[in-house]
Amino acid sequence: MTPLLTTTGLKKVFGGLTAVDAVDFAVMPGEIRAVIGPNGAGKTTFVSLICGRLPPSSGEIRFDGRDITGLPAHRRVRLGIAYTFQITSVFANLSVYDNVALAVQRTAADRRWTGSLRDGVMSALSRTGLAGRAQERAGALAYGHQRLLEVAMGLALRPRLLILDEPTQGLSDGEIESFTDLVREIAQDATVLLIEHNMPVVMALAHRITVLDAGKVLAEGSPEEIRANAAVQAAYLGATAA
């Protein structure tokens, strides 16, 4: 099977700091891949390079066999890459419904959408448990619900690759359980790239895990292999892996 996404020698330098250091990476279609690592490991910078929010200093990014290294973010969205931010980026003064409607309209404009606007919006809201809050102002939602709204906005784009950056931050235990069920459902139709500090979520969801440390790939493997990796335990997991 051909990878959906690959990076080769991907590097990002900010002044004298190398945030992402020659990363080779490949994700297969339908995979749930987690990227973990300590704070400052380069995780968010890495996915920002993939989605086009940042240009790389060097290296190559390919999506479905196509070189997208130089494409701007909006062109990557049209190809099917959706990204939810580590910090919420909803339109606070618009309703929950209207936030998702904007994403559906963008998809419709790219001619990848069939069906009514309302059906598309309510489907995304229902999948994230927000259908009952459709008319609430987005800025009035609790932080965890704003995170779920971002996921709904991403789903409305009908992505082939959905990048989730710290999606469980601010969610209750019950919401986290529902979220893990949602990610498994999403993975039936799309590939998921998950940046997450909640290790029980990572271990429960990921088919494979990539560990970044100081911008480099420290280890890669199944949850069982990562849990047993002594270098990963020393760098990141610590007592969590025990």
Side-chain angles (χ1 to χ4, degrees):
M1 187 182 296
T2 303
L4 178 65
L5 173 77
T6 61
T7 72
T8 306
L10 195 62
K11 189 170 187 176
K12 182 61 179 179
V13 179
F14 297 100
L17 172 67
T18 301
V20 174
D21 194 356
V23 170
D24 295 334
F25 182 78
V27 179
M28 304 305 291
E31 185 177 5
I32 302 174
R33 171 68 66 87
V35 177
I36 67 171
N39 290 332
K43 305 181 296 297
T44 292
T45 301
F46 177 61
V47 295
S48 294
L49 296 173
I50 291 171
C51 72
R53 294 184 65 227
L54 291 173
S57 301
S58 59
E60 182 183 76
I61 306 167
R62 301 188 75 87
F63 183 70
D64 198 20
R66 173 178 176 175
D67 185 349
I68 64 168
T69 312
L71 287 184
H74 71 274
R75 294 278 302 279
R76 300 186 197 198
V77 169
R78 291 175 184 170
L79 292 176
I81 299 176
Y83 175 53
T84 68
F85 295 90
Q86 186 179 29
I87 301 171
T88 56
S89 58
V90 301
F91 297 98
N93 291 323
L94 295 181
S95 70
V96 168
Y97 181 97
D98 286 343
N99 268 269
V100 180
L102 288 172
V104 173
Q105 287 173 332
R106 178 184 295 176
T107 307
D110 294 334
R111 298 182 181 180
R112 290 189 290 112
W113 176 260
T114 56
S116 73
L117 174 65
R118 178 174 175 78
D119 287 348
V121 173
M122 295 311 297
S123 173
L125 290 177
S126 294
R127 293 175 76 183
T128 52
L130 294 175
R133 300 178 181 271
Q135 299 309 316
E136 294 183 23
R137 188 173 64 86
L141 293 179
Y143 180 77
H145 289 145
Q146 290 188 31
R147 303 291 292 153
L148 291 174
L149 175 55
E150 275 211 327
V151 175
M153 293 164 68
L155 288 175
L157 294 170
R158 290 191 167 182
R160 299 176 64 195
L161 173 66
L162 179 61
I163 303 173
L164 302 170
D165 196 350
E166 302 288 356
T168 66
Q169 187 176 359
L171 299 185
S172 68
D173 290 345
E175 289 168 337
I176 289 174
E177 185 176 349
S178 296
F179 174 79
T180 59
D181 292 339
L182 172 62
V183 172
R184 292 189 182 101
E185 178 195 328
I186 292 168
Q188 295 177 17
D189 303 309
T191 302
V192 178
L193 182 56
L194 176 69
I195 315 301
E196 182 57 68
H197 277 298
N198 186 319
M199 293 312 300
V201 169
V202 169
M203 294 299 177
L205 281 176
H207 299 139
R208 289 178 63 79
I209 299 171
T210 299
V211 185
L212 293 183
D213 187 33
K216 295 177 179 288
V217 175
L218 176 66
E220 197 166 80
S222 68
E224 294 75 18
E225 290 168 335
I226 294 301
R227 192 187 297 275
N229 188 299
V232 174
Q233 291 183 35
Y236 180 53
L237 292 180
T240 304

